[in-house]
């Protein structure tokens, strides 16, 4: 409209008086420009409330009408000057103004209508007053076209409004449907026992986090697994177990900060996602672990469980959900095995461990066990005379690809591959044939893993082999560790009973490192306790000696024999003797050796005592 007005003023520059072709249009154009600038100032609809929006629309209706009438009146004034061309130009100006304005005001029909009526009304009245026939015809012409355009615009506007309305209705319905399905979804993502989010929710959240995560963003996922939950379930019943899980779930939720979620992944395993780096996440996990370990009163019993946690950090540890979870799981597994009751973060060291585990698994897969597996024998002697009482069989795996692998790694890998039984039986066959070659005065200890103990078929196979070998079962001793009893104490106990019924004896190995409480010691069918080698190193200091003597007295009070392991120096041997130990084992007395070496030593009667091979 402003450009049109400027052009109209230009064609009348020499015909009309100065103020009319300069001052008046200048003022009107300035007002329009200011209005336009205000109009174009960015404003978000969200910043305005309904009354503010209404006021703005009213102002547009008012200004639109007033300004367009002002332009038309000005054009009528210019029409006093000039010839037929100039009159025609004025008519075109009016027509263009009206049509342009109402078109731009499509979505504000009131304004469009008012502009059209006031502008055309003014123009028609003017033409009547002027009694200019052609001008009147043009006015009618424009009015007709405007009426049709207005009608079309109104229809268009109405359809737009009804579309809007039906869309809004549809949205309303959808929203309703949405809340229903949201409720269903919520239920599907909630653990029914504890009422906290479930596994599905945990993985959904993890996946959507990974989808949205920026490379510079970091978060940590954690797994918390309860220790000794099964015994609670077994001794107090499932109702108590359920209640315990509920209380623990609530404690965890209570401690869960705003930037974290906690979920029950199943059984006694909980998942954690913390939108924070490892330090922050570790703090949260540790707090939760402490809370879990607080005893819980259920009815009239007080139960308590332990827990271990594993953590992995995005993106430094892994960037995919599967890998991230696997590594958290590995960290947890590591915590449970090596740092029970603690929180372990997946680190490069663990990564290295995985790699080496994978390499070991692969090597075991292609190993020729009859060639690569062997046993070495370490004497157990009387501390006073250094006379050997027996030998302990220790597995050795010499892999052509990886070299010598420690028996712990071998056993762990065999368990992962589901070959624990096969390997134990192969070793046991070797042990039995060695037993037959050794003097009848010597006993033999054979190590059993927790896996072996929990597998009744392994026990049966061991007993079958033992029966077939017709060796004196009284010479045989099975060594078990405390940790092997934790997983499933009932099955383990049955296995121990079965072994003992044949006349073999049972030794509890590595005593003092595990968690079996001293009180449970007398409940187990044991004959011997082997004090872990870490205690031998403490024989040098007074407090260590007091501790070891106390353990020794306790074992004696239970009428069990006691062996101290890991004697590496003469001083330690003397201290062990003074502390009342009658049996010992260790590098100072003898390193583990092959069967032929062992037999040689035995033959060499002149050897006063066992020396390192
Ligand atoms: P363990 O049953 O406690 O076996 C004693 C370990 O201590 C052996 O390590 C032995 O070489 C080592 N040792 C003996 N005297 C000393 C000493 O004075 N100082 C030190 N620092 N160490 C000493 P090895 O042979 O590496 O075996 C490690 C573990 O692997 C064994 O610990 C046992 O738990 C397991 N293991 C070995 N053979 C078998 C097996 O045939 N079956 C099962 N299930 N486990 C086995
Ligand atoms: Ca042992
Ligand atoms: Ca041991």
């Amino acid at each position: 409209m402003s450009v049109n007005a400027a052009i109209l003023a230009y064609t009348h520059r020499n015909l009309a008086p100065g103020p009319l072709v300069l001052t008046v249009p200048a003022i009107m154009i300035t007002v329009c420009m200011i209005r336009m600038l205000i109009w174009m100032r960015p404003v978000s609809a969200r910043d305005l409330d309904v009354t503010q929006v209404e006021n703005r629309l009213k102002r547009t209706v008012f200004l639109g009408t007033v300004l367009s009438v002002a332009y038309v009146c000005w054009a009528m004034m210019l029409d006093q000057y000039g010839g037929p061309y100039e009159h025609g130009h004025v008519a075109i100006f009016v027509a263009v103004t009206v049509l342009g304005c109402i078109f731009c005001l499509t979505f504000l029909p009131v304004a469009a209508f008012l502009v059209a009526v006031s502008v055309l009304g003014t123009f028609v009245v003017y033409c009547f007053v002027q009694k200019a026939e052609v001008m009147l015809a043009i006015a009618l012409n424009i009015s007709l076209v405007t009426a049709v355009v207005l009608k079309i615009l109104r229809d268009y506007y109405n359809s737009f409004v009804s579309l809007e309305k039906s869309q809004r209705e549809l949205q309303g319905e959808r929203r309703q449907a949405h809340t229903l399905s949201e409720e269903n979804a919520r239920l599907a993502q909630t653990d029914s026992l504890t009422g906290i989010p479930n596994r599905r929710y945990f993985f959904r959240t993890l996946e959507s986090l990974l989808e949205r995560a920026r490379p510079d963003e970091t978060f940590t996922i954690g797994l918390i697994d309860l220790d000794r939950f099964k015994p609670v379930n077994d001794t107090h019943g499932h109702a108590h177990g359920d209640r315990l899980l509920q209380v623990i779930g609530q404690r965890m939720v209570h401690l869960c900060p705003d930037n974290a979620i906690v979920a029950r992944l199943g059984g006694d395993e909980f998942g954690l996602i913390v939108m924070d780096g490892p330090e922050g996440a570790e703090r949260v996990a540790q707090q939760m672990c402490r809370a879990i370990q607080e005893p819980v009163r259920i009815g009239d019993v007080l139960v308590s469980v332990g827990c271990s946690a594993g953590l992995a950090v995005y993106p430094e540890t892994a960037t995919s959900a599967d890998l991230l979870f696997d590594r958290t799981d590995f960290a947890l597994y590591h915590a449970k095995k090596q740092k029970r009751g603690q929180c372990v973060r997946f680190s490069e060291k663990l990564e290295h461990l995985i790699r080496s585990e994978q390499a070991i698994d692969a090597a075991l897969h292609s190993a020729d066990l009859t060639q690569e597996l062997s046993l070495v024998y370490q004497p157990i002697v009387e501390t006073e005379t250094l006379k050997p009482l027996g030998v302990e069989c220790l597995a050795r795996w010499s892999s052509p690809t990886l070299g010598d692998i420690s028996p712990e790694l071998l056993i762990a890998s065999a368990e992962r591959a589901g070959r624990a039984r096969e390997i134990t039986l192969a070793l046991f066959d070797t042990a039995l044939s060695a037993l037959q070659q050794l003097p009848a005065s010597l006993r033999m200890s054979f190590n059993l893993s927790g896996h072996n103990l929990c597998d009744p078929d392994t026990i049966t196979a061991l007993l079958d082999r033992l029966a077939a070998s017709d060796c004196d079962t009284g010479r045989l001793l099975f060594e078990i560790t405390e940790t092997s009893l934790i997983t499933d104490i009932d099955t383990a106990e049955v296995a121990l009973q079965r072994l003992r019924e044949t006349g073999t004896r049972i030794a509890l190995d590595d005593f003092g490192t595990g968690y079996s409480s001293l009180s449970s010691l007398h409940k187990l069918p044991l004959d011997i306790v082997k004090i872990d080698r870490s205690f031998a190193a403490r024989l040098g200091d007074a407090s260590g000696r007091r501790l070891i003597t106390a353990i020794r007295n306790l074992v004696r009070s239970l009428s069990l024999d006691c062996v101290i392991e890991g004697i590496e120096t003469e001083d330690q041997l003397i201290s062990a003797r003074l502390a009342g130990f009658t049996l010992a084992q260790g590098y100072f007395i003898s390193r583990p050796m092959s069967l032929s070496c062992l037999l040689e030593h035995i033959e060499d009667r002149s050897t006063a005592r066992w020396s390192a091979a």
Side-chain angles (χ1 to χ4, degrees):
M1 209 155 85
S2 295
V3 174
N4 284 349
I7 295 169
L8 190 64
Y10 179 78
T11 53
H12 286 77
R13 68 188 183 283
N14 295 325
L15 304 168
L20 206 56
V21 287
L22 267 179
T23 324
V24 178
I27 292 171
M28 288 195 304
I29 288 172
T30 309
V31 172
C32 282
M33 288 300 139
I34 292 170
R35 168 67 185 149
M36 190 170 78
L37 287 177
I38 295 174
W39 172 257
M40 283 169 66
R41 205 180 43 190
V43 56
S44 162
R46 252 172 273 137
D47 299 340
L48 302 173
D49 61 28
V50 176
T51 35
Q52 278 172 314
V53 172
E54 272 174 2
N55 287 340
R56 279 176 179 236
L57 290 177
K58 276 184 196 151
R59 192 156 67 215
T60 303
V61 172
F62 174 75
L63 283 175
T65 315
V66 169
L67 281 173
S68 49
V69 170
Y71 271 107
V72 169
C73 290
W74 170 71
M76 306 296 93
M77 283 180 197
L78 277 189
D79 196 48
Q80 308 301 313
Y81 309 93
Y85 277 125
E86 283 74 26
H87 294 311
H89 192 179
V90 169
I92 287 173
F93 173 77
V94 172
V96 168
T97 299
V98 134
L99 291 175
C101 284
I102 60 176
F103 190 77
C104 292
L105 290 167
T106 307
F107 295 103
L108 195 53
V110 195
F113 185 76
L114 283 177
V115 167
V117 169
S118 49
V119 170
L120 286 177
T122 316
F123 191 50
V124 170
V125 170
Y126 169 78
C127 293
F128 257 115
V129 174
Q130 291 290 308
K131 293 195 179 81
E133 203 185 40
V134 180
M135 286 294 271
L136 200 59
I138 291 174
L140 285 175
N141 216 329
I142 298 171
S143 302
L144 276 174
V145 173
T146 305
V148 173
V149 171
L150 269 180
K151 160 99 174 82
I152 292 169
L153 288 183
R154 210 198 59 194
D155 290 352
Y156 178 68
Y157 174 77
N158 283 346
S159 64
F160 162 78
V161 169
S162 58
L163 192 73
E164 255 284 311
K165 221 193 255 166
S166 58
Q167 249 170 9
R168 221 174 298 149
E169 274 165 14
L170 205 69
Q171 263 172 8
E173 276 165 27
R174 264 201 221 131
R175 215 169 294 136
Q176 229 170 4
H178 201 66
T179 38
L180 280 179
S181 68
E182 255 175 7
E183 177 64 12
N184 278 336
R186 198 186 63 77
L187 285 178
Q189 302 194 5
T190 305
D191 174 54
S192 55
L193 177 65
T194 56
I196 71 173
N198 64 9
R199 190 180 183 88
R200 179 195 292 222
Y201 180 81
F202 179 83
F203 282 102
R204 286 250 172 104
T205 311
L206 177 59
E207 261 149 29
S208 77
L209 269 179
L210 289 172
E211 266 167 32
R212 281 186 283 128
R214 293 187 310 268
D216 59 331
E217 206 168 37
T218 174
F219 63 86
T220 308
I221 74 169
L223 279 176
I224 298 181
D225 193 275
L226 306 187
D227 300 329
R228 304 188 303 273
F229 176 70
K230 200 172 175 302
V232 171
N233 236 352
D234 292 348
T235 36
H236 301 294
H238 284 273
H240 276 54
D242 285 355
R243 182 74 199 118
L244 179 66
L245 287 176
Q246 281 168 348
V247 172
I248 284 173
Q250 288 318 311
R251 283 182 185 171
M252 291 176 84
V253 168
H254 190 70
L255 285 172
C256 190
D258 288 342
N259 67 344
I261 64 151
V262 58
R264 179 171 170 235
L265 303 184
D268 56 354
E269 191 172 73
F270 294 84
L272 191 66
I273 302 180
V274 188
M275 299 306 296
D276 200 350
E279 282 80 22
E282 210 163 315
R283 259 196 310 280
V284 175
Q286 264 160 359
Q287 267 177 353
M288 288 186 176
C289 285
R290 270 196 296 278
I292 291 170
Q293 284 157 355
E294 292 279 310
V296 180
R297 178 165 292 285
I298 302 170
D300 48 3
V301 291
L302 201 60
V303 287
S304 75
V305 287
C307 67
S308 311
L311 297 176
V313 185
Y314 171 90
E316 75 178 49
T317 306
T319 50
S320 78
D322 282 348
L323 208 55
L324 206 53
F325 189 79
D326 277 359
R327 299 198 152 169
T328 318
D329 201 36
F330 189 83
L332 171 67
Y333 169 82
H334 188 74
K336 281 188 107 69
K337 279 216 126 164
Q338 314 271 324
K339 302 201 165 143
R340 227 176 161 78
Q342 293 180 38
C343 190
V344 169
R345 191 202 305 174
F346 190 90
S347 59
E348 257 173 45
K349 212 176 99 200
L350 283 194
E351 167 94 55
H352 193 74
L353 207 63
I354 288 189
R355 289 250 174 82
S356 57
E357 278 190 358
Q358 282 169 347
I360 292 172
D361 289 352
L364 184 68
H365 188 73
S366 55
D368 175 2
L369 292 181
T370 50
Q371 284 297 313
E372 296 170 26
L373 277 192
S374 62
L375 281 176
V376 290
Y377 305 85
Q378 187 178 33
I380 299 168
V381 301
E382 285 176 353
T383 49
E384 288 296 333
T385 59
L386 295 185
K387 197 176 117 218
L389 211 80
V391 290
E392 177 180 0
C393 308
L394 297 164
R396 292 292 175 264
W397 176 26
S398 155
S399 156
T401 48
L402 297 177
D404 290 344
I405 306 294
S406 87
E408 281 128 324
L409 293 178
L410 162 70
I411 300 298
S413 174
E415 287 178 1
R416 282 195 296 276
R419 296 176 69 186
R421 188 191 305 161
E422 176 196 345
I423 285 172
T424 301
L425 294 179
L427 291 171
F428 192 59
D429 285 339
T430 314
L432 282 180
S433 91
L435 185 62
Q436 274 157 346
Q437 297 173 54
L438 289 174
S441 61
L442 283 187
R443 298 185 201 153
M444 177 181 275
S445 300
F446 186 82
N447 290 287
L448 288 181
S449 70
H451 217 273
N452 293 152
L453 275 186
C454 291
D455 175 26
D457 292 345
T458 301
I459 306 298
T460 309
L462 288 172
L463 293 176
D464 288 350
R465 281 169 158 76
L466 198 56
S469 76
D470 70 60
C471 61
D472 176 9
T473 49
R475 289 174 65 200
L476 201 65
L477 231 131
F478 287 105
E479 294 193 3
I480 56 159
T481 58
E482 291 174 89
T483 32
S484 69
L485 298 171
I486 292 176
T487 0
D488 187 352
I489 184 125
D490 295 337
T491 317
E493 234 181 295
V494 172
L496 294 183
Q497 294 289 7
R498 286 178 68 199
L499 291 172
R500 248 174 140 228
E501 274 161 17
T502 64
T504 60
R505 278 178 291 178
I506 308 293
L508 185 64
D509 205 356
D510 301 347
F511 184 75
T513 53
Y515 285 80
S516 72
S517 61
L518 297 174
S519 64
S520 71
L521 213 53
H522 77 276
K523 285 194 227 141
L524 291 166
L526 297 176
D527 303 281
I528 293 175
V529 173
K530 295 182 81 174
I531 312 293
D532 187 68
R533 60 174 173 269
S534 58
F535 288 96
R538 298 196 58 188
L539 279 167
D541 65 279
S543 69
R545 264 198 305 275
R546 274 199 299 278
L547 174 71
I548 295 162
T549 310
I551 297 177
R552 144 92 230 133
N553 290 338
L554 173 102
V555 175
R556 189 182 285 167
S557 73
L558 294 168
S559 314
L560 300 174
D561 279 336
C562 198
V563 176
I564 183 151
E565 296 185 304
I567 298 294
E568 291 181 347
T569 64
E570 187 158 19
D571 285 350
Q572 286 173 357
L573 179 65
I574 294 167
S575 299
R577 216 180 271 158
L578 291 175
F581 285 96
T582 51
L583 298 172
Q585 181 181 1
Y587 289 166
F588 176 70
I589 301 157
S590 170
R591 292 208 167 234
M593 58 186 114
S594 65
L595 182 65
S596 53
C597 267
L598 181 71
L599 291 170
E600 245 171 62
H601 266 77
I602 293 167
E603 298 231 313
D604 188 2
R605 298 273 167 192
S606 62
T607 333
R609 62 157 215 225
W610 296 88
S611 58

